[in-house]
Amino acid sequence: MIGYGFMGAAHSQGWRVAPRFFDLPLTPSMDVVVGRDASGVAAAARKWGWRESATDWREIISRDDIDLVDIVTPGDTHAEIAIAALDAGKHVLCEKPLANTVEEAEAMTDAASRAAARGVRSMVGFTYRRVPAATFARDLVAAGRIGDVRQVRAEYLQDWLMDAEAPLTWRMQKDRAGSGALGDIGAHAVDLTEYITGQRVETVSGILETIVTERPLLGEGVGLSGTARQERGAVTVDDLALFTGRLSSGALASFEATRFRTGRKNALRIEIAGSLGAISFDLESLNELGFYDSTLPETEQGFRRILVTEHDHPYLAPWWPTGHMLGYEHGFSHQVADLVTAIASGTQPEPSFDDGLHVQRVLDAVERSSNDGSAWTPTGS
């Protein structure tokens, strides 16, 4: 695993736990974690159970005893690492968004295609597909339970940047992150919409806004008067993304991604209205799914709450007795289980790098629409 921060912890948990609950056809071996800071990555290795740590990812991917590379670094490094790993014959799991630009994502997808011809697999980490309630929503739509999709509302709402004095980090710098709320969390809203509906976003019209344009840098500086002052740096990404998308069926979808929605901590919410019913999902209540059946008599209609904890629900059979809830981290174990199973069977895991490239094109189209004020901008895929 290359990288060991927040996502590194989540992925490590997935690799540790999945083999203990799922009957996997191959057993993952957590051999080495890589990071730039030798002491920091060594501490992460001890904490999460990696056998060793290293600081040179190029050396690691050249080793014959490494079969798979998991990339959890900032977006500006995804392309270089993934392409090198695939060309070295390593399976690759790469966190979303796939890259910082369409061009990088295209190069990664080309490398994945070359590697697939040699039996080497690749997958992008849109983990929320693997929340059981979200997967069950997809199954209901595919089974025709809500009829034809007519309208979608998808939003990912957080408030962790509300404090204007919170320090500038890599997630607020375009050269490191590619975009702000749009790519960081808006990518999830796009992917989950497409996954549940089975359709793609084909055109968009949107606007991006940077609410706080500069933030303190970490560390103190000294002003011209000789007094200590906090140095500040420019925020070069969006804080808020609002856009409309037209799906391949012609249905309209509205999207919002923000890290400034006061009171919302991690609210990935999607509501899909169809000709026969509707579904509603909120990540802040991730064990539940709202379902509306308009074919019932009027006296019985209304959204009902389905507790998605039955063993017949997706991914639930290996876990706890009915009614015992799962959490955020379980999606990463499901991701490991799906990836390892696909590698063992020689099939393409999903979402593929092609899927990641498509989402990158949607993000790019939103940014272009915002920049030039276009009413509708094709996603190009």
Side-chain angles (χ1 to χ4, degrees):
M1 185 176 72
I2 303 174
Y4 62 94
F6 164 43
M7 273 296 104
H11 281 232
S12 295
Q13 176 75 353
W15 290 113
R16 282 165 55 92
V17 173
R20 290 163 174 82
F21 280 85
F22 290 85
D23 185 16
L24 300 181
L26 299 171
T27 302
S29 174
M30 294 172 63
D31 286 336
V32 58
V33 58
V34 184
R36 291 178 297 180
D37 179 78
S39 61
V41 73
R46 291 191 297 270
K47 180 175 183 178
W48 294 110
W50 294 91
R51 293 181 179 177
E52 61 178 289
S53 63
T55 57
D56 186 348
W57 63 263
R58 294 174 181 82
E59 178 183 338
I60 297 304
I61 67 171
S62 69
R63 284 171 36 172
D64 292 337
D65 62 331
I66 300 297
D67 301 306
L68 185 147
V69 174
D70 185 0
I71 303 170
V72 294
T73 56
D76 61 322
T77 61
H78 285 186
E80 181 183 13
I81 298 172
I83 292 170
L86 289 166
D87 287 346
K90 315 300 182 185
H91 307 294
V92 170
L93 170 62
C94 183
E95 254 304 317
K96 65 82 227 164
L98 187 60
N100 276 5
T101 67
V102 169
E103 292 74 21
E104 289 175 348
E106 287 173 340
M108 294 170 72
T109 303
D110 288 343
S113 179
R114 294 193 304 269
R118 296 179 281 116
V120 177
R121 306 300 168 188
S122 54
M123 187 172 82
V124 60
F126 283 109
T127 319
Y128 294 133
R129 289 185 175 206
R130 294 176 165 87
V131 173
T135 310
F136 185 52
R138 187 276 311 267
D139 293 346
L140 289 174
V141 173
R145 295 295 299 279
I146 68 167
D148 297 329
V149 172
R150 290 176 168 173
Q151 184 179 351
V152 179
R153 186 188 72 222
E155 49 191 8
Y156 204 151
L157 315 174
Q158 299 176 341
D159 70 355
W160 63 277
L161 283 181
M162 285 295 300
D163 182 1
E165 295 304 305
L168 188 73
T169 68
W170 70 267
R171 291 184 185 276
M172 295 169 243
Q173 298 172 303
K174 188 173 180 61
D175 60 338
R176 301 291 311 282
S179 64
L182 176 64
D184 185 21
I185 53 180
H188 277 302
V190 171
D191 181 74
L192 199 60
T193 295
E194 296 189 333
Y195 174 68
I196 294 176
T197 63
Q199 302 183 34
R200 284 197 160 186
V201 178
E202 293 190 341
T203 58
V204 296
S205 178
I207 186 167
L208 305 179
E209 183 76 12
T210 303
I211 295 172
V212 175
T213 58
E214 63 176 24
R215 290 183 176 273
L217 301 176
L218 294 174
E220 295 290 335
V222 178
L224 295 177
S225 64
T227 59
R229 65 177 176 84
Q230 186 75 46
E231 297 284 352
R232 305 182 75 83
V235 175
T236 53
V237 298
D238 58 282
D239 292 323
L240 167 63
L242 296 169
F243 59 102
T244 303
R246 190 175 293 279
L247 304 181
S248 48
S249 67
L252 284 176
S254 62
F255 296 90
E256 178 180 355
T258 177
R259 302 185 290 206
F260 276 78
R261 180 66 77 86
T262 307
R264 298 300 180 188
K265 303 306 174 185
N266 201 34
L268 172 56
R269 307 194 300 196
I270 182 167
E271 187 167 300
I272 303 173
S275 57
L276 299 179
I279 58 171
S280 177
F281 170 74
D282 187 341
L283 186 64
E284 290 186 343
S285 300
L286 59 78
N287 290 280
E288 302 175 13
L289 185 69
F291 179 65
Y292 183 94
D293 186 351
S294 62
T295 67
L296 294 174
E298 289 185 359
T299 54
E300 300 175 21
Q301 289 181 10
F303 268 97
R304 59 187 174 91
R305 168 180 172 265
I306 300 174
L307 191 62
V308 185
T309 62
E310 298 292 333
H311 281 186
D312 287 339
H313 283 132
Y315 298 107
L316 268 282
W319 293 107
W320 315 115
T322 296
H324 292 69
M325 309 299 187
L326 298 191
Y328 170 77
E329 74 277 9
H330 290 83
F332 295 92
S333 294
H334 303 159
Q335 178 171 260
V336 166
D338 286 347
L339 176 58
V340 170
T341 300
I343 290 172
S345 64
T347 57
Q348 172 59 50
E350 294 182 350
S352 67
F353 274 24
D354 279 322
D355 295 323
L357 170 59
H358 166 72
V359 172
Q360 199 74 48
R361 286 173 171 157
V362 173
L363 304 180
D364 178 73
V366 172
E367 187 168 2
R368 287 187 284 117
S369 173
S370 179
N371 288 341
D372 61 23
S374 299
W376 287 104
T377 302
T379 61
S381 60

